[in-house]
Amino acid sequence: MRTLSIVIPAFNEAENLPPLMSTIPLRELESAGWRTEIVVVDNNSTDGTGELAQRLGARVIFQPERGYGNAYHAGLNAASGDVIATGDADCTYPFDALPALLDAFDGHRLEFMTTNRLLPANRQAMKVSHTVANHFLSGVSRTLFRNDVRDSQSGMWIFRRYVWERLNVKSGGMAFSQEIKNAAITAGFRYSEMPIEYRPRGGEVKLNALPDGVANLRQLFEHRFRKTLGVPVPHRLSHPEDAQAGRLGAV
């Protein structure tokens, strides 16, 4: 069977974990040929998030240094699957859509898939100010990196593990989301963006809209103009179709 790691960063999300975990279609994924592990990154929570995630069947990685990107660095480095899927722990992302997304991922022979939440049907799930900020940052990102990604801030991605091993993603905060997309696309990996349902957040909102937005804007310019660095391949390629990816570096 193919192996899939679902990586979920979580900071004080104990109230959201039970409904979230119930939406992950493990039986359907198994029927489709996926052996799945759920990796929850406890980002130094104070509400028992890590302990609860473990009781619910997740593999828990503890990351004491808080930050969205810091949590992802820990979780992605720990993931064992040949394919990695991600999403937040706040019940906004449709983990139940993973079988269909993975089918499209395989069918189009993609290496990196990102998702688009900024659809008219999802307007009620996001504050107007957040929608405007997301459109603005995505527009700046498209202009600077010359790609066609409509939602640069989306936190649901699917990618082959070797993609992560070849990226030079630095951000420890919210900018991690845009940086991993721009790094993967700049490196030349085969990518696509898929529309998804976006759902109202459960529990406390933790986004600091203005400081996070300013930091993301600054990161876009710093990323665009920093020196390109090659990333060494850490292991022998396991599939012939990965040969092109083995020659790629990322910024």
Side-chain angles (χ1 to χ4, degrees):
M1 297 183 74
R2 295 172 293 175
T3 55
L4 172 70
S5 294
I6 301 174
V7 178
I8 305 170
F11 170 63
N12 287 348
E13 296 287 2
E15 69 175 294
N16 286 323
L17 282 179
L20 169 71
M21 297 285 280
S22 71
T23 67
I24 298 176
L26 294 175
R27 290 184 180 178
E28 190 175 351
L29 289 168
E30 184 177 10
S31 296
W34 293 100
R35 184 172 68 249
T36 304
E37 68 165 356
I38 302 172
V39 179
V40 172
V41 184
D42 179 1
N43 199 196
N44 206 5
S45 300
T46 58
D47 67 347
T49 287
E51 294 83 354
L52 178 57
Q54 193 168 34
R55 291 200 300 271
L56 292 170
R59 176 184 169 207
V60 177
I61 304 299
F62 181 65
Q63 168 55 283
E65 187 176 1
R66 287 182 179 170
Y68 188 73
N70 292 328
Y72 263 125
H73 278 282
L76 297 180
N77 288 338
S80 63
D82 293 323
V83 173
I84 298 171
T86 70
D88 295 352
D90 58 7
C91 295
T92 54
Y93 288 96
F95 286 97
D96 48 341
L98 278 176
L101 292 172
L102 286 163
D103 187 59
F105 181 79
D106 275 346
H108 291 92
R109 296 177 59 82
L110 299 176
E111 294 171 295
F112 189 93
M113 174 188 283
T114 186
T115 58
N116 180 10
R117 309 159 298 158
L118 303 179
L119 310 173
N122 293 331
R123 284 176 182 166
Q124 299 304 313
M126 189 182 296
K127 291 172 62 175
V128 173
S129 58
H130 290 176
T131 300
V132 172
N134 275 292
H135 278 294
F136 173 74
L137 287 169
S138 297
V140 174
S141 182
R142 283 194 302 276
T143 300
L144 288 175
F145 289 90
R146 299 180 182 179
N147 60 48
D148 57 357
V149 173
R150 310 307 300 178
D151 184 1
S152 67
Q153 307 303 306
S154 175
M156 188 172 218
W157 330 300
I158 298 173
F159 51 94
R160 303 189 189 278
R161 186 172 57 170
Y162 64 72
V163 172
W164 171 246
E165 293 169 343
R166 290 158 177 75
L167 297 185
N168 182 31
V169 181
K170 297 181 177 182
S171 177
M174 295 301 296
F176 183 94
S177 182
Q178 63 191 20
E179 186 177 2
I180 192 173
K181 298 177 184 69
N182 289 327
I185 294 168
T186 300
F189 292 108
R190 296 184 298 274
Y191 79 98
S192 185
E193 182 176 39
M194 296 291 290
I196 56 167
E197 179 186 4
Y198 191 66
R199 298 164 181 171
R201 194 202 196 288
E204 176 189 356
V205 175
K206 301 183 179 72
L207 179 68
N208 296 313
L210 183 58
D212 285 338
V214 171
N216 282 14
L217 185 62
R218 182 174 61 248
Q219 188 278 333
L220 283 172
F221 284 91
E222 291 174 349
H223 186 185
R224 174 61 182 83
F225 296 108
R226 76 189 182 207
K227 184 179 179 181
T228 300
L229 299 173
V231 179
V233 178
H235 59 74
R236 184 177 60 84
L237 298 172
S238 56
H239 301 288
E241 62 268 26
D242 296 348
Q244 179 183 3
R247 295 193 295 270
L248 296 174
V251 297

